[in-house]
Amino acid sequence: MLTSSEENYIKALFYLQQKASKGVSTSSLAQRLDTKPSSATDMLQKLSEKGLVDYVKYKGALLSTDGYQLAAHVVRKHRLWEVFLVKTLGFSWDQVHDIAEQLEHVHAPLLVEKLDAFLGHPRRDPHGDPIPDKNGQIHQVEKALLSTQQNDQESILVSIKDANDDFLKYLNQKNISLGAFIKVIALEPFDGSMTVEVNHETHYFSSTITNNLYVQSL
Amino acid sequence: MLTSSEENYIKALFYLQQKASKGVSTSSLAQRLDTKPSSATDMLQKLSEKGLVDYVKYKGALLSTDGYQLAAHVVRKHRLWEVFLVKTLGFSWDQVHDIAEQLEHVHAPLLVEKLDAFLGHPRRDPHGDPIPDKNGQIHQVEKALLSTQQNDQESILVSIKDANDDFLKYLNQKNISLGAFIKVIALEPFDGSMTVEVNHETHYFSSTITNNLYVQSL
DNA sequence: ATATTATTTTAGATGAAACTAAAAATTTAT
DNA sequence: ATAAATTTTTAGTTTCATCTAAAATAATAT
Ligand SMILES: [Mn+2]
Ligand SMILES: [Mn+2]
Ligand SMILES: [Mn+2]
Ligand SMILES: [Mn+2]
C-alpha cells in the first residue's frame, strides 16, 4: 500500500504529464506539491524503485502503467468524494478540494464502490472533471477553451481548467455555474478580452478568465 | 493540530480511563494500540508536554480537560462516520470499524457538522454507543449487562460492549440486532450460561456472550 | 566552444513514530 | 525485609518525509 505522500506524488505526475508530453521535471513536480526539488528527487527515486515511475536522472519522470493505474484510482476517489460533499452534504464547489485531498487517502476498496453506487455513478465532479472508472479509464468529453470561441458562438460551460477556490468564488459571485449558457458578444483582439452573455446577463472577461473556462459549442 | 497517531493515543486513553479510575498504564495503552510499551511511553511524554495528558512517570496517565475534549471529538467523528457507512452506504455493522478508524482523522470541522446534520443528529452509533455532542458531552443511557438479568426478565438489546467484528458476525448469523427483544428463560449458576429467547427464538448464551451484551430492562 | 546560468542530484541533518535491548523502578512473593 | 519477577523508562536504531547546502549536470548565451 502507498503512503499518502506517495499517492500525492503520483497524482501530481498524473496531472503534469497530461500536458507535458516529455518527462515531468523535478522542479515542476516540486512546485505543484509545494515542496523542494530535492524532496521530489528523493520521491522519484523511491517510486522508480517500486516500479510506479519511469525515471531517468536529469531527464524527468513519467508514470509507468502500474503507476498510472494507481494514480487514476486516487483521482477517482478524490472526485467521487467531491461529488459527495457537494451533492449529499451541500458544500459549495469552492469548499471541497482540501477535504477531498484528505478523503482520497482513505484506503477501503468497498467504500469507493459503495460511494460510487450511492451517488449514482456520476461521470463528472463538481468542477466538470471526469471521474475515472473502476479500471482507471477516463471518458474525455469534447471541449474547448472559451478563449478559442468566435464571435456570436453559443456554448455551454462544461468544466473549469484550474478550479482554484478564488476563481470558483469569482464565478459564484457572478452566479455562473456548470451548464451555464454562454454567447460571445464581442472579442477584443488586442488583449483577448471578451464580452459575453452568460444566462442572458452581460459580463466582461479578461483572457485569464476565458483561458480557464472549458465550453462545449452548440 | 494533532497527528493521526496522537489522536489514536488520546482515543485509547479515553476508552481505558473510563473503567480504570486510576492512571492508565503504559502496558494497557500499548496493548490496546497493538504497539510496545516503550512506544507508549514516548507518546505519553509528548502528549504530556502538549498538556493533553497528566502523566507521572511510573504512575500512569489520564487525559487533561483539553485532552478529554479532543478525544471526545475524535470519538464523535468515528461514530458519526460509522452511522454514515451503515445507514447511508449500506455497510453491515461488522464492516465499519476499520474504515471509521481512518475517516476519524480527516480534519474538517464543517464536514463533521454537515455530516451530523445530514444523518439527522444521531445519538448512537451502529453498535449502540453514544455519539458525543459538539461540546464533547456524552449522554449515557441506563443499561445493564445481560449477565446481570434475572430469570423471566424481559429487556431490549441496546449496545454491544466489545463490538469486535467476530462477535458482530456471530450476532448477524443468529439474526440478532440492536433493539431485539430478549427474555431470560433459564440461568445456569454453575458457569453463568443462559437460555434466552430473542425475538421469540431460543438461544443458548455462554457467559462470554451475556457479558458482552448491554440491555435495557422492560 | 567556452563560460555563465539554471536545474537537478547528492550529502548530511531533522523530527515523527516506531522498534529492540538494557537499565531503573515498582510490585509481588518468600 | 529482601529477593525475584514484572513493569516502565531510557538509550540507541530504523524508516519516512522533509529540509539546506554543496556538487554535478544540462541548458543558454556570448
Ligand atoms: Mn492528498
Ligand atoms: Mn475537482
Ligand atoms: Mn484511527
Ligand atoms: Mn462503534
Side-chain angles (χ1 to χ4, degrees):
Chain A
M1 243 208 36
L2 301 183
T3 65
S4 291
S5 191
E6 291 170 330
E7 288 187 339
N8 285 336
Y9 270 96
I10 60 172
K11 194 155 63 84
L13 284 166
F14 182 89
Y15 289 117
L16 293 172
Q17 76 178 29
Q18 294 196 323
K19 287 286 156 186
S21 53
K22 40 206 92 171
V24 173
S25 72
T26 313
S27 51
S28 59
L29 189 54
Q31 187 177 14
R32 172 144 191 127
L33 290 169
D34 201 27
T35 181
K36 302 289 168 183
S38 55
S39 304
T41 299
D42 283 349
M43 185 56 89
L44 286 177
Q45 291 170 342
K46 183 164 48 138
L47 293 173
S48 176
E49 283 287 310
K50 292 197 176 189
L52 302 179
V53 161
D54 296 324
Y55 166 63
V56 183
K57 246 190 185 193
Y58 290 106
K59 297 294 177 188
L62 288 173
L63 291 168
S64 70
T65 310
D66 283 3
Y68 185 90
Q69 193 69 17
L70 288 170
H73 189 246
V74 179
V75 170
R76 171 172 166 79
K77 288 193 279 180
H78 183 103
R79 292 181 180 166
L80 282 172
W81 279 117
E82 283 190 344
V83 173
F84 167 76
L85 293 170
V86 168
K87 284 272 175 58
T88 308
L89 296 190
F91 279 95
S92 68
W93 66 349
D94 56 293
Q95 298 179 300
V96 297
H97 182 80
D98 290 351
I99 304 179
E101 204 60 43
Q102 298 177 65
L103 287 165
E104 72 190 2
H105 302 298
V106 171
H107 180 76
L110 189 53
L111 171 59
V112 184
E113 297 323 311
K114 291 219 184 225
L115 183 65
D116 183 43
F118 170 72
L119 297 171
H121 306 287
R123 286 204 296 272
R124 324 203 116 232
D125 84 358
H127 314 107
D129 292 313
I131 297 174
D133 68 21
K134 233 180 294 201
N135 310 309
Q137 282 307 115
I138 293 176
H139 299 279
Q140 278 297 354
V141 135
E142 207 196 326
K143 66 189 180 185
L145 286 173
L146 177 55
S147 57
T148 67
Q149 300 299 94
Q150 302 303 308
N151 241 339
D152 290 325
Q153 179 65 55
E154 299 178 337
S155 62
I156 296 288
L157 181 60
V158 294
S159 72
I160 312 300
K161 191 180 174 200
D162 173 17
N164 66 76
D165 297 353
D166 284 341
F167 184 61
L168 296 175
K169 279 178 195 144
Y170 165 87
L171 294 177
N172 284 348
Q173 207 193 344
K174 297 210 159 357
N175 260 300
I176 298 172
S177 54
L178 294 190
F181 172 88
I182 301 183
K183 181 174 180 182
V184 179
I185 301 297
L187 227 153
E188 183 53 72
F190 174 61
D191 64 351
S193 68
M194 250 183 203
T195 307
V196 298
E197 213 180 85
V198 182
N199 294 334
H200 309 292
E201 271 194 65
T202 302
H203 297 281
Y204 304 91
F205 285 167
S206 73
S207 65
T208 308
I209 311 282
T210 60
N211 274 309
N212 205 17
L213 296 173
Y214 278 117
V215 297
Q216 223 171 309
S217 301
L218 289 179
Chain B
M1 244 209 34
L2 301 183
T3 64
S4 291
S5 191
E6 290 170 331
E7 287 187 339
N8 285 336
Y9 270 97
I10 61 172
K11 195 154 62 84
L13 285 166
F14 182 89
Y15 290 116
L16 294 171
Q17 78 177 31
Q18 293 198 321
K19 287 287 154 183
S21 53
K22 40 204 91 168
V24 173
S25 73
T26 312
S27 50
S28 59
L29 188 55
Q31 188 176 13
R32 174 147 188 122
L33 290 169
D34 200 28
T35 182
K36 302 289 166 182
S38 54
S39 304
T41 300
D42 283 349
M43 185 57 89
L44 286 178
Q45 290 171 342
K46 182 164 51 142
L47 292 173
S48 176
E49 283 286 310
K50 291 197 177 191
L52 303 180
V53 161
D54 296 323
Y55 165 64
V56 184
K57 246 190 185 194
Y58 292 105
K59 297 294 176 188
L62 289 172
L63 290 168
S64 69
T65 311
D66 282 3
Y68 187 90
Q69 192 71 17
L70 287 170
H73 189 247
V74 179
V75 170
R76 171 170 165 79
K77 288 193 280 180
H78 183 104
R79 292 180 179 165
L80 283 172
W81 279 116
E82 284 190 344
V83 174
F84 167 75
L85 293 171
V86 168
K87 285 273 174 58
T88 308
L89 296 191
F91 279 93
S92 68
W93 65 349
D94 57 293
Q95 299 180 300
V96 298
H97 182 80
D98 290 350
I99 304 178
E101 204 60 43
Q102 298 177 63
L103 287 165
E104 72 191 0
H105 303 297
V106 170
H107 180 75
L110 189 52
L111 172 59
V112 184
E113 298 323 310
K114 291 221 184 222
L115 183 64
D116 184 42
F118 170 72
L119 296 170
H121 306 288
R123 287 203 295 273
R124 323 204 118 232
D125 83 359
H127 314 107
D129 292 314
I131 297 174
D133 70 20
K134 233 181 293 201
N135 311 308
Q137 282 306 115
I138 293 176
H139 299 279
Q140 279 296 354
V141 135
E142 206 196 328
K143 66 188 180 186
L145 286 173
L146 177 56
S147 56
T148 67
Q149 300 300 96
Q150 302 301 308
N151 242 338
D152 289 326
Q153 178 66 55
E154 298 178 337
S155 61
I156 296 288
L157 180 61
V158 293
S159 71
I160 312 299
K161 191 181 175 201
D162 173 17
N164 64 76
D165 297 353
D166 284 341
F167 184 61
L168 296 176
K169 280 180 196 144
Y170 166 88
L171 295 177
N172 285 348
Q173 208 194 343
K174 297 209 157 357
N175 259 301
I176 299 171
S177 54
L178 295 189
F181 172 89
I182 300 183
K183 181 174 181 182
V184 179
I185 301 295
L187 226 152
E188 184 52 71
F190 173 62
D191 64 351
S193 67
M194 251 183 200
T195 306
V196 298
E197 214 179 84
V198 182
N199 294 335
H200 308 293
E201 271 194 65
T202 303
H203 297 281
Y204 303 91
F205 285 166
S206 73
S207 65
T208 309
I209 310 282
T210 59
N211 274 310
N212 206 16
L213 296 173
Y214 278 117
V215 298
Q216 224 171 307
S217 301
L218 288 179

mmCIF file of all heavy atoms in Angstrom, chain A residues 2 14 18 32 62 71 99 107 122 152 160:
data_model
loop_
_atom_site.group_PDB
_atom_site.id
_atom_site.type_symbol
_atom_site.label_atom_id
_atom_site.label_comp_id
_atom_site.label_asym_id
_atom_site.label_seq_id
_atom_site.Cartn_x
_atom_site.Cartn_y
_atom_site.Cartn_z
ATOM 1 N N LEU A 2 0.392 2.260 -0.690
ATOM 2 C CA LEU A 2 1.154 3.501 -0.780
ATOM 3 C C LEU A 2 0.898 4.418 0.415
ATOM 4 O O LEU A 2 -0.186 4.393 1.000
ATOM 5 C CB LEU A 2 0.775 4.234 -2.065
ATOM 6 C CG LEU A 2 1.005 3.480 -3.375
ATOM 7 C CD1 LEU A 2 0.641 4.362 -4.562
ATOM 8 C CD2 LEU A 2 2.452 3.023 -3.470
ATOM 9 N N PHE A 14 0.375 12.477 -12.575
ATOM 10 C CA PHE A 14 -0.795 12.219 -13.421
ATOM 11 C C PHE A 14 -1.268 13.515 -14.090
ATOM 12 O O PHE A 14 -1.513 13.556 -15.297
ATOM 13 C CB PHE A 14 -1.891 11.631 -12.535
ATOM 14 C CG PHE A 14 -3.155 11.247 -13.240
ATOM 15 C CD1 PHE A 14 -3.300 9.977 -13.773
ATOM 16 C CD2 PHE A 14 -4.206 12.151 -13.334
ATOM 17 C CE1 PHE A 14 -4.484 9.614 -14.404
ATOM 18 C CE2 PHE A 14 -5.392 11.791 -13.964
ATOM 19 C CZ PHE A 14 -5.536 10.516 -14.504
ATOM 20 N N GLN A 18 -0.075 14.977 -18.337
ATOM 21 C CA GLN A 18 -1.124 15.124 -19.344
ATOM 22 C C GLN A 18 -0.728 16.174 -20.370
ATOM 23 O O GLN A 18 -0.826 15.939 -21.567
ATOM 24 C CB GLN A 18 -2.451 15.515 -18.686
ATOM 25 C CG GLN A 18 -2.983 14.405 -17.789
ATOM 26 C CD GLN A 18 -4.446 14.589 -17.450
ATOM 27 O OE1 GLN A 18 -4.899 15.703 -17.249
ATOM 28 N NE2 GLN A 18 -5.177 13.477 -17.390
ATOM 29 N N ARG A 32 4.308 21.987 -7.869
ATOM 30 C CA ARG A 32 2.900 21.577 -7.734
ATOM 31 C C ARG A 32 2.587 21.097 -6.322
ATOM 32 O O ARG A 32 1.486 21.307 -5.816
ATOM 33 C CB ARG A 32 2.583 20.485 -8.740
ATOM 34 C CG ARG A 32 1.229 19.895 -8.540
ATOM 35 C CD ARG A 32 0.520 19.507 -9.809
ATOM 36 N NE ARG A 32 -0.863 19.195 -9.464
ATOM 37 C CZ ARG A 32 -1.916 19.722 -10.022
ATOM 38 N NH1 ARG A 32 -1.762 20.594 -10.995
ATOM 39 N NH2 ARG A 32 -3.124 19.383 -9.632
ATOM 40 N N LEU A 62 7.967 9.861 -15.834
ATOM 41 C CA LEU A 62 6.605 9.579 -16.306
ATOM 42 C C LEU A 62 6.080 8.376 -15.542
ATOM 43 O O LEU A 62 6.848 7.478 -15.176
ATOM 44 C CB LEU A 62 6.620 9.261 -17.811
ATOM 45 C CG LEU A 62 6.874 10.443 -18.756
ATOM 46 C CD1 LEU A 62 7.035 9.953 -20.183
ATOM 47 C CD2 LEU A 62 5.739 11.458 -18.654
ATOM 48 N N ALA A 71 -2.649 6.046 -9.854
ATOM 49 C CA ALA A 71 -2.944 7.482 -9.820
ATOM 50 C C ALA A 71 -4.397 7.734 -10.211
ATOM 51 O O ALA A 71 -5.100 8.517 -9.553
ATOM 52 C CB ALA A 71 -2.001 8.230 -10.750
ATOM 53 N N ILE A 99 -10.781 19.119 1.461
ATOM 54 C CA ILE A 99 -11.338 17.984 2.197
ATOM 55 C C ILE A 99 -11.139 16.701 1.401
ATOM 56 O O ILE A 99 -10.705 15.676 1.939
ATOM 57 C CB ILE A 99 -12.832 18.214 2.519
ATOM 58 C CG1 ILE A 99 -13.013 19.527 3.285
ATOM 59 C CG2 ILE A 99 -13.378 17.052 3.335
ATOM 60 C CD1 ILE A 99 -14.463 19.855 3.620
ATOM 61 N N HIS A 107 -8.127 4.237 2.654
ATOM 62 C CA HIS A 107 -7.990 3.003 1.871
ATOM 63 C C HIS A 107 -9.081 2.017 2.271
ATOM 64 O O HIS A 107 -9.058 1.468 3.374
ATOM 65 C CB HIS A 107 -6.613 2.393 2.102
ATOM 66 C CG HIS A 107 -6.415 1.133 1.327
ATOM 67 N ND1 HIS A 107 -6.170 1.125 -0.031
ATOM 68 C CD2 HIS A 107 -6.454 -0.163 1.692
ATOM 69 C CE1 HIS A 107 -6.057 -0.115 -0.462
ATOM 70 N NE2 HIS A 107 -6.229 -0.929 0.582
ATOM 71 N N PRO A 122 -21.672 8.881 -10.819
ATOM 72 C CA PRO A 122 -21.507 10.169 -11.517
ATOM 73 C C PRO A 122 -20.324 10.105 -12.483
ATOM 74 O O PRO A 122 -19.355 9.391 -12.226
ATOM 75 C CB PRO A 122 -21.212 11.149 -10.384
ATOM 76 C CG PRO A 122 -20.621 10.320 -9.297
ATOM 77 C CD PRO A 122 -21.319 8.989 -9.391
ATOM 78 N N ASP A 152 -20.325 35.589 -31.654
ATOM 79 C CA ASP A 152 -21.681 35.045 -31.821
ATOM 80 C C ASP A 152 -21.796 33.563 -31.497
ATOM 81 O O ASP A 152 -22.889 33.000 -31.537
ATOM 82 C CB ASP A 152 -22.228 35.284 -33.242
ATOM 83 C CG ASP A 152 -22.532 36.736 -33.482
ATOM 84 O OD1 ASP A 152 -22.976 37.405 -32.519
ATOM 85 O OD2 ASP A 152 -22.308 37.215 -34.604
ATOM 86 N N ILE A 160 -14.009 23.658 -15.452
ATOM 87 C CA ILE A 160 -13.082 24.729 -15.092
ATOM 88 C C ILE A 160 -11.686 24.170 -15.240
ATOM 89 O O ILE A 160 -11.393 23.085 -14.734
ATOM 90 C CB ILE A 160 -13.307 25.143 -13.619
ATOM 91 C CG1 ILE A 160 -14.799 25.363 -13.323
ATOM 92 C CG2 ILE A 160 -12.478 26.359 -13.274
ATOM 93 C CD1 ILE A 160 -15.451 26.428 -14.146
#
